[in-house]
Amino acid sequence: MPDSGVARRVYAGETMQQRVARRRVAILDAAIVVVAENGWRQLTVERICEAAGLIRRYFYESFADLDALTVAMIDALTGELLELVIRHDLTAPRAELIHTMVGEVVDYGVAHPNNVRVLFGEMSATDAVAQRRRAAIRRIVQVLAADGRAIHHADDPMIDLVASLLVNGSVATLLDWLDGTITMTKSQFVDGMAAMWLLTTESAITRTDEGP
């Protein structure tokens, strides 16, 4: 079939696909701002389009409805965070691994506080999104538990317990720090969090090695 050229037609230096992709990102970014500043219950197509500076037609160009948007938003934020917690090289000393990971997550929180608040803050207004958020946290816990098993060559339920405790506790603590409830410099906060992670994992390792 001859190439009509429609898909590749360029306007103002962008193809149609590039414009659609740009508008989709703008809608996602606007939705994050709306939720972070006003809460999940204030998330509407009208508010999102106003924040993005786009008309409603462009919202439905990328998303079937609000649920589709929020699922895409949660998945995108989860992907960004997973990139920070996945350690491809597990051969470094444990203290160094932990400090590096904690530092990168805190840096992300400082650079993108709205993202952290959307993913881990106020509970969402719909069950579908709440389930998606819980699934996102479980994925992060599973990644850390898998790393723990690889590092310690052990398969013990204590590893899952510690991973869940550290992730869920650290998320709440990071939000407290970002909101100013914990008054520490970023360096102090990273050092303190890393020390707590190391202490907790060391205690768990000792318990695992000792057996029941």
Side-chain angles (χ1 to χ4, degrees), residues 59-138:
F59 177 93
Y60 293 107
E61 172 185 67
S62 294
F63 303 101
D65 51 30
L66 274 178
D67 280 346
L69 164 73
T70 51
V71 165
M73 182 167 57
I74 295 299
D75 287 350
L77 296 180
T78 302
E80 290 180 6
L81 204 55
L82 282 171
E83 289 184 7
L84 302 179
V85 300
I86 291 175
R87 301 287 100 184
H88 297 291
D89 181 8
L90 300 176
T91 61
R94 190 177 305 119
E96 181 181 326
L97 279 171
I98 290 173
H99 198 281
T100 298
M101 184 193 68
V102 169
E104 289 177 355
V105 171
V106 172
D107 284 342
Y108 177 84
V110 171
H112 309 285
N114 284 347
N115 294 9
V116 177
R117 292 188 177 98
V118 168
L119 191 56
F120 300 119
E122 173 201 355
M123 289 305 295
S124 54
T126 68
D127 289 341
V129 178
Q131 290 174 6
R132 201 75 173 190
R133 281 170 39 143
R134 287 193 293 270
I137 294 174
R138 283 197 299 272

Side-chain angles (χ1 to χ4, degrees), residues 140-157:
I140 297 170
V141 170
Q142 289 166 355
V143 166
L144 292 175
D147 284 351
R149 288 184 169 86
I151 291 171
H152 309 305
H153 307 289
D155 187 7
D156 190 287

Side-chain angles (χ1 to χ4, degrees), residues 11 75 129 180-181 202:
Y11 296 91
D75 287 350
V129 178
T181 304
E202 293 285 0

